[in-house]
């Protein structure tokens, strides 16, 4: 698959985190070798009404162990839930 002449295909089922019933936040920082830095945040907001919002964000950067190798990625996943009634 990696070195041959082929067309690998498939399906990725990526499900983000769902909003919770309360308000909370977490933040995490990871530091490593070769200038590796990762910042992660998970923020959950409950308005007290039928709407709840959750935001997941991450940022990664690294210099790598080879010359002129640089990695920089960011991730942002907002999710909102609107509850129409207690039965939905």
């Amino acid at each position: 698959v990696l070195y041959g002449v082929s067309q690998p295909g498939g399906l990725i089922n990526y499900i983000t985190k769902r909003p919770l019933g309360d308000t909370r936040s977490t933040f995490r920082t990871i530091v490593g070798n070769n200038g590796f830095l990762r910042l992660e945040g998970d923020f959950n907001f409950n308005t007290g009404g039928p709407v709840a919002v959750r935001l997941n964000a991450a940022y990664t950067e690294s210099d790598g162990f080879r010359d002129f190798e640089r990695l920089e990625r960011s991730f942002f996943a907002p999710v909102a839930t609107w509850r129409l009634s207690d039965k939905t």
Side-chain angles (χ1 to χ4, degrees):
V1 171
L2 294 177
Y3 305 107
V5 180
S6 66
Q7 303 259 336
L11 177 71
I12 298 173
N13 187 12
Y14 188 76
I15 300 173
T16 58
K17 295 180 179 180
R18 302 282 182 224
L20 303 172
D22 58 350
T23 300
R24 66 173 87 171
S25 300
T26 58
F27 188 77
R28 185 165 74 160
T29 303
I30 303 169
V31 180
N33 296 347
N34 301 316
F36 181 83
L37 172 67
R38 180 167 173 91
L39 306 171
E40 298 175 353
D42 185 2
F43 309 101
N44 191 74
F45 305 102
N46 189 357
T47 61
V51 177
V53 178
R54 189 166 189 173
L55 170 67
N56 287 298
Y59 173 76
T60 304
E61 71 176 20
S62 177
D63 291 332
F65 64 92
R66 295 183 202 102
D67 292 337
F68 309 111
E69 180 184 11
R70 176 97 174 125
L71 170 71
E72 187 172 356
R73 292 184 181 158
S74 56
F75 173 78
F76 183 72
V79 178
T81 301
W82 178 29
R83 203 168 152 186
L84 297 175
S85 68
D86 292 337
K87 297 181 181 180
T88 60

